[in-house]
Amino acid sequence: MKRALVTGITGQDGRYLSELLASKGYQVFGLIHGQANPKARMVMEENPGLELVEGDLRDLPSLIAAVEQVQPDEIYNLGAISFVQLSFKQAELTAEITGLGVLRMLEAVRIVGGTDNNPMRFYQASSSEMFGKVRETPQTEKTPFHPRSPYGVAKVFGHDTIVNYRESYDLHASSGILFNHESERRGLEFVTRKITNSLARIKLGLQEGISLGNLDSARDWGFAGDYVEAMWMMLQQESPDDYVIATGETHTIREFLEVAFRIAGYDSWESFVTHDSRFDRPAEVDLLLGDSSKARAKLGWKPKVNFEELVLRMYEADLAEETDQLKRGRR
Ligand code: G4F
C-alpha cells in the first residue's frame, strides 16, 4: 500500500486529492496543525481511512517528525495562505507559510530521505498567480514570473526552491503551475463561490445583491477535481518536472456573472451587483490564460469539466445547501 502525506488537507484541493488517493488504494495522512482544528472532523467524515498527523509549516522539527513517522512514498505540499487579498494584509505570515513552508518541507524530506531505491516524491502546488503582470499570453512553463501580490512572491520563492532542490539534491520534486480551479468546496471568500452562493441566496430571497471588486480581470477557471488528478500524474512520472495545468479558456468576472445569472433564470445581473472598493487589490492580475500542452502531451491530462458546467455545478450545490439550511430554520 502506497503512503501519501498531504499538507493543506482541509482545503478544497486537499479534500479532493485525499479522496482520489484513497480511491487508488493509498493510505493517506493529512498534516494538521492546532488543537481541536474545527475542519479536522469534516475531513475525517469525508474520508474515514484518513489519518491525521500533527505538524506546522512554520516549524521544521514538527515536519521532520511527521515525515519520519509517516515514511511517505509521496508528499503533496498544498498547505498555504491561499487567499491573495489576505496576503496583502498578512504579507509576513504569507511569506512564512506559503514561501518558507516549502523550504521546510523540502528540508524535512532531505533530512529524513527515502531509500535509494524508493526516494520520496514531492509535489509542490505552484500557482498561475506567479505570472502576475503577464509577460506573454498564453502562459507556459517558460513564461517569466512577475508576481503582483505577497502571495505570488511567496509562490515564486517556493517554485524556485523546488527547482534548486531538484538540481542540488536530485530530489524527485515536481511543481504544478495550477491556474484557478474551483468547485462547490471553494471557500466563500473567492470570487466564484462568493457569486454562486450569493446568487443562490438571492434566488431564495435571503439576500438582495452582491458587493464585488474589479469585474474586468480574466481568469482561466477549471474544476478542482480535474486538477488534483494532474498532481497525482506528475508524481507517477519517471523524472520530476514542472507543468502548467489550465483549461486554455479565459473569462472575466463579468462573464462569470452573466453565465451564473442566466443559469439561475435571470435576464441580467447588473442590477444585483454593486462595486465595493474594499474588494479591490493594491495590485491586480489582469489576465491569466494557460497553455497546458506539455501536461496534455506528457501526462495525458486534460480537463473534463468546462466553464459552463463548472458554474452550473457550483450554483446547484449552493442552491441545494441554502435550501436545506432554510428548511431547517437556520437561515
Ligand atoms: O477568486 P479570487 O480571489 O482568486 P485569485 O486572486 O485569482 O487567486 C486564486 O487563484 C490563484 C491561481 O491563479 C491561486 F493561486 C490563489 O490561491 C487563488 O486560488 O479573485 C479572482 C479575481 C481577482 O481579479 C479579484 O480582484 O476576482 C476579482 N474580484 C472581484 N471582486 C474578487 C472580488 N475577488 C474576491 N475574492 N472577492 C471579490 O469580491
Side-chain angles (χ1 to χ4, degrees):
M1 198 184 214
K2 272 196 177 178
R3 300 160 74 85
L5 175 62
V6 181
T7 74
I9 192 81
T10 60
Q12 168 189 258
D13 294 3
R15 290 164 65 192
Y16 280 115
L17 180 67
S18 68
E19 285 171 356
L20 176 78
L21 294 173
S23 75
K24 290 184 183 297
Y26 281 64
Q27 169 72 55
V28 185
F29 298 83
L31 192 83
I32 200 134
H33 75 93
Q35 285 175 308
N37 187 322
K39 288 185 174 167
R41 216 173 90 198
M42 172 190 72
V43 291
M44 292 300 291
E45 277 167 12
E46 278 172 3
N47 188 350
L50 181 70
E51 273 192 42
L52 297 178
V53 187
E54 271 291 329
D56 191 319
L57 288 170
R58 291 169 291 193
D59 179 37
L60 179 57
S62 74
L63 301 178
I64 293 173
V67 174
E68 183 80 56
Q69 179 194 331
V70 174
Q71 293 291 328
D73 299 285
E74 296 173 9
I75 296 175
Y76 295 85
N77 186 40
L78 314 183
I81 299 236
S82 64
F83 186 31
V84 173
Q85 198 173 348
L86 179 69
S87 79
F88 286 102
K89 297 199 176 99
Q90 298 189 354
E92 188 184 344
L93 187 64
T94 303
E96 187 69 57
I97 295 175
T98 307
L100 275 173
V102 184
L103 177 85
R104 293 192 190 97
M105 280 305 293
L106 287 167
E107 276 295 281
V109 173
R110 193 175 69 82
I111 291 164
V112 178
T115 61
D116 282 349
N117 292 338
N118 188 22
M120 291 173 187
R121 296 186 173 196
F122 194 96
Y123 170 83
Q124 168 58 18
S126 285
S127 162
S128 55
E129 187 69 16
M130 300 188 302
F131 297 122
K133 191 170 181 176
V134 298
R135 305 276 181 89
E136 61 178 4
T137 297
Q139 295 87 48
T140 73
E141 293 80 6
K142 295 202 166 74
T143 303
F145 301 135
H146 185 145
R148 297 272 280 172
S149 61
Y151 168 84
V153 172
K155 281 286 179 187
V156 172
F157 174 83
H159 187 85
D160 287 346
T161 306
I162 290 285
V163 176
N164 179 245
Y165 271 57
R166 193 159 70 206
E167 292 174 356
S168 306
Y169 306 114
D170 209 18
L171 289 188
H172 193 295
S174 295
S175 285
I177 307 176
L178 268 52
F179 282 61
N180 296 50
H181 44 287
E182 318 292 312
S183 74
E184 54 276 24
R185 292 177 174 176
R186 192 60 146 145
L188 288 166
E189 66 275 31
F190 296 93
V191 77
T192 54
R193 181 81 200 290
K194 181 175 173 180
I195 293 171
T196 58
N197 180 262
S198 300
L199 181 53
R201 293 174 56 82
I202 290 169
K203 189 79 182 170
L204 294 171
L206 297 169
Q207 189 172 321
E208 288 187 351
I210 319 177
S211 304
L212 293 171
N214 173 25
L215 305 185
D216 294 320
S217 53
R219 293 289 183 272
D220 181 331
W221 279 299
F223 170 54
D226 290 343
Y227 285 39
V228 299
E229 285 187 13
M231 298 176 186
W232 175 78
M233 286 170 162
M234 284 176 219
L235 295 203
Q236 310 319 305
Q237 303 305 302
E238 187 74 22
S239 314
D241 209 340
D242 305 323
Y243 298 89
V244 159
I245 302 298
T247 70
E249 245 188 63
T250 192
H251 297 274
T252 61
I253 316 297
R254 279 175 206 284
E255 286 165 354
F256 192 102
L257 285 162
E258 255 160 48
V259 172
F261 274 77
R262 175 165 38 79
I263 284 170
Y266 294 93
D267 293 334
S268 69
W269 54 270
E270 283 84 349
S271 58
F272 294 97
V273 174
T274 48
H275 179 255
D276 185 334
S277 58
R278 282 179 304 164
F279 300 113
D280 291 336
R281 295 172 183 183
E284 180 61 281
V285 172
D286 295 323
L287 167 80
L288 292 175
L289 174 62
D291 174 355
S292 56
S293 311
K294 180 175 166 184
R296 289 174 196 237
K298 287 200 169 176
L299 305 178
W301 176 85
K302 63 172 194 261
K304 297 184 194 119
V305 177
N306 71 27
F307 180 65
E308 288 243 0
E309 289 164 350
L310 176 65
V311 182
L312 177 66
R313 72 177 285 154
M314 290 178 70
Y315 171 68
E316 283 185 337
D318 273 315
L319 189 62
E321 168 69 13
E322 289 296 328
T323 305
D324 184 52
Q325 295 291 337
L326 193 60
K327 278 191 192 143
R328 291 166 190 254
R330 294 193 187 140
R331 288 289 186 267

